[in-house]
């Protein structure tokens, strides 16, 4: 998965390719995450209910958990904020978060091929991911306070 929106066929293939049974809620949730990067669960629930009006809140949580477990969705949770979900996976990108409105955007790895995976001290860990969050104010919030 990447930052570009995927076709329903690609999302269907991704679900099946991950070894999950294709269900309407799974496809609707994955489509919602794909359409709304960095969305909180409430936003995803609203989007899914536009397509499947009778889907329960618990079903959406369960599907998000399943999609995260198989690696189709990435869950991020900036400090002090609700969990958010995205389909951009497997590229070790980072995020910038607005301190005022909570807007979250993707930031590509700063230099070269995942340089932040080379920690000065590993303490014996095999490092496979680095999570960097940049904090600041988005242009809209900065303009309002200027």
């Amino acid at each position: 998965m990447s930052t570009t929106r995927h076709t329903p066929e690609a999302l269907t293939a991704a679900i099946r390719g991950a070894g999950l049974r294709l269900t309407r809620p799974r496809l609707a949730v994955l489509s919602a995450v794909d359409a709304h990067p960095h969305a909180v669960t409430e936003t995803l629930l609203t989007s899914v209910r536009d397509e499947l009006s009778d889907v329960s809140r618990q079903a959406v949580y369960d599907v998000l958990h399943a999609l995260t477990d198989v690696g189709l969705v990435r869950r991020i949770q900036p400090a002090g904020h609700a969990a958010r979900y995205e389909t951009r996976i497997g590229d070790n990108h980072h995020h910038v978060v607005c301190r005022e409105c909570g807007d979250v955007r993707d930031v590509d790895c700063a230099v070269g091929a995942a340089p932040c995976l080379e920690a000065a001290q590993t303490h014996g860990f095999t490092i496979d991911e680095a999570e960097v969050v940049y904090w600041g104010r988005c242009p809209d919030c900065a303009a309002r306070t200027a």
Side-chain angles (χ1 to χ4, degrees), residues 20-126:
L20 295 175
R21 187 171 55 90
L22 180 65
T23 64
R24 291 180 65 218
R26 284 181 179 155
L27 183 56
V29 170
L30 186 56
S31 296
V33 174
D34 193 54
H36 307 284
H38 311 122
V40 296
T41 307
E42 280 302 312
T43 301
L44 298 173
L45 177 62
T46 299
S47 180
V48 170
R49 283 186 173 162
D50 286 345
E51 186 177 336
L52 303 174
S53 60
D54 60 343
V55 72
S56 72
R57 177 181 307 277
Q58 188 60 50
V60 171
Y61 277 102
D62 292 346
V63 170
L64 285 169
H65 185 75
L67 295 175
T68 301
D69 281 351
V70 297
L72 290 178
V73 167
R74 181 178 178 192
R75 180 182 186 272
I76 63 166
Q77 189 164 7
H81 293 268
R84 295 167 178 265
Y85 298 87
E86 65 183 345
T87 56
R88 184 175 174 185
I89 55 172
D91 69 348
N92 198 51
H93 71 281
H94 308 300
H95 298 94
V96 61
V97 180
C98 179
R99 290 186 187 280
E100 292 184 33
C101 70
D103 187 25
V104 177
R105 301 292 173 102
D106 290 332
V107 176
D108 290 329
C109 210
V111 179
C116 45
L117 291 181
E118 296 178 24
Q121 176 55 262
T122 66
H123 300 281
F125 284 68
T126 301

Side-chain angles (χ1 to χ4, degrees), residues 119-133:
Q121 176 55 262
T122 66
H123 300 281
F125 284 68
T126 301
I127 297 174
D128 61 14
E129 181 179 7
E131 186 172 304
V132 175
V133 178

Side-chain angles (χ1 to χ4, degrees), residues 9-20:
E9 295 79 18
L11 296 174
T12 296
I15 291 169
R16 288 183 172 143
L20 295 175

